[in-house]
């Protein structure tokens, strides 16, 4: 983007321009997930709150989580939903429909979805395990708090740990009930997605474990994908 043309101005005008520039510096600058955020921003996968605000350390809720995941896969199909706490005119209604159709989320036994509830590490693991359709990894070393994992999450957590898609803590624990931050969410999704390609174009020299292609018109040249290639419904009838 060309720099704005600035004519002769007073000192106060110059200070205003400098202040405006500083305000646009993203709040993930210097964060451990800076590269993750910058990649997602460049690809149009995360929008933030405006004025460079992305809140990397803020805990992510269920509605925000499904929105991020849906963008990665460019999900299109929608399911009819009847969650008692999700309004048909709500901001996230469409994304919850898509996530339900894709089969990686379900509601609770009381008929709610709880869109504002924070996503725990074990819940995130289960949703990613379902979405990426991974196989169970048997015989992997378990974290020291594996016994604390609820039965519904054990297969997903242990498999993702065993395959190196998730990491525990230095004390040997997984801390399944701990909430996921926005920065951690990007890292977790990216670990499984690998090279995420949401835009058409020609790509060469890619060497990755997994790859997600979610738009038509993508051409790969001289690239190696050692794991899984995910061609999502966002491609529709387009060419790859």
């Amino acid at each position: 983007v060309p720099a704005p043309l600035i004519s002769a101005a007073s000192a106060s005008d110059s200070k205003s321009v400098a202040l405006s520039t500083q305000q646009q510096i993203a709040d993930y600058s210097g964060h451990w997930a800076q590269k993750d955020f910058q990649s997602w921003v460049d690809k149009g996968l995360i929008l933030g709150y405006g004025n460079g605000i992305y809140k990397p350390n803020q805990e992510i809720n269920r509605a925000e989580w499904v929105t991020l995941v849906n963008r990665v896969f460019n999900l299109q199909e929608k399911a009819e939903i009847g969650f008692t706490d999700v309004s048909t005119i709500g901001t996230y209604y469409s994304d919850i429909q898509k996530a339900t159709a894709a089969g990686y989320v379900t509601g609770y036994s009381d008929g709610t979805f709880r869109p504002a509830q924070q996503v725990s590490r074990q819940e995130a693991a289960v949703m990613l395990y379902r979405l990426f359709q991974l196989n169970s990894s048997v015989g992997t070393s378990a974290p020291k708090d594996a016994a604390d994992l609820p039965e519904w999450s054990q297969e997903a957590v242990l498999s993702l740990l065993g395959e190196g898609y998730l990491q525990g803590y230095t004390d040997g624990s997984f801390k399944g009930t701990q909430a996921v931050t926005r920065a951690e969410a990007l890292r977790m999704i990216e670990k499984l997605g690998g090279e995420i390609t949401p835009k058409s174009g020609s790509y060469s020299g890619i060497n990755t474990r997994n790859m997600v292609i979610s738009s038509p018109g993508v051409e790969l040249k001289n690239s190696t994908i050692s794991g899984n290639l995910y061609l999502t419904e966002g491609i529709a009838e387009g060419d790859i």
Side-chain angles (χ1 to χ4, degrees):
V1 177
L5 179 63
I6 303 177
S7 60
S10 66
S12 60
D13 290 335
S14 298
K15 290 180 180 178
S16 296
V17 171
L19 180 60
S20 176
T21 301
Q22 292 173 0
Q23 290 174 339
Q24 296 304 311
I25 297 175
D27 61 354
Y28 56 74
S29 179
H31 193 274
W32 60 262
Q34 177 176 338
K35 290 184 178 179
D36 303 78
F37 270 95
Q38 193 59 59
S39 175
W40 282 58
V41 169
D42 293 343
K43 293 176 180 180
L45 294 172
I46 190 168
L47 304 178
Y49 299 90
N51 296 321
I53 305 300
Y54 291 86
K55 302 182 181 180
N57 294 322
Q58 178 173 285
E59 295 173 352
I60 192 168
N61 64 40
R62 285 168 58 84
E64 294 168 334
W65 169 268
V66 298
T67 299
L68 286 180
V69 173
N70 291 353
R71 285 183 189 149
V72 169
F73 270 64
N74 193 15
L75 296 179
Q76 303 295 315
E77 184 179 344
K78 298 179 182 179
E80 291 296 325
I81 57 176
F83 300 118
T84 57
D85 58 346
V86 178
S87 170
T88 57
I89 59 174
T91 305
Y92 299 107
Y93 184 75
S94 176
D95 275 302
I96 294 173
Q97 284 184 300
K98 292 176 182 179
T100 303
Y104 72 89
V105 298
T106 57
Y108 292 88
S109 58
D110 61 0
T112 62
F113 182 80
R114 304 177 192 174
Q117 179 174 290
Q118 281 71 36
V119 176
S120 69
R121 285 168 56 80
Q122 59 198 23
E123 289 172 331
V126 169
M127 287 187 271
L128 292 176
Y129 184 72
R130 290 173 181 166
L131 179 67
F132 284 88
Q133 300 177 2
L134 300 175
N135 296 321
S136 175
S137 296
V138 181
T140 59
S141 58
K144 70 177 187 181
D145 56 351
D148 296 332
L149 293 170
E151 185 178 353
W152 53 264
S153 73
Q154 289 177 5
E155 181 178 308
V157 171
L158 296 181
S159 295
L160 293 182
L161 285 172
E163 291 294 329
Y165 290 124
L166 288 183
Q167 292 182 330
Y169 291 88
T170 54
D171 64 355
S173 65
F174 178 72
K175 297 181 173 60
T177 59
Q178 183 166 297
V180 176
T181 66
R182 288 167 60 82
E184 291 169 336
L186 267 58
R187 179 65 60 87
M188 292 175 75
I189 297 169
E190 200 164 62
K191 273 281 191 178
L192 278 94
E195 186 69 29
I196 301 171
T197 311
K199 298 180 181 179
S200 61
S202 180
Y203 300 84
S204 63
I206 293 175
N207 188 355
T208 184
R209 180 177 181 180
N210 296 336
M211 186 172 189
V212 177
I213 298 178
S214 59
S215 293
V218 172
E219 181 181 20
L220 290 179
K221 298 179 180 178
N222 304 317
S223 297
T224 301
I225 303 169
S226 60
N228 299 321
L229 173 61
Y230 296 93
L231 304 178
T232 79
E233 62 189 53
I235 297 171
E237 302 298 322
D239 296 326
I240 296 294

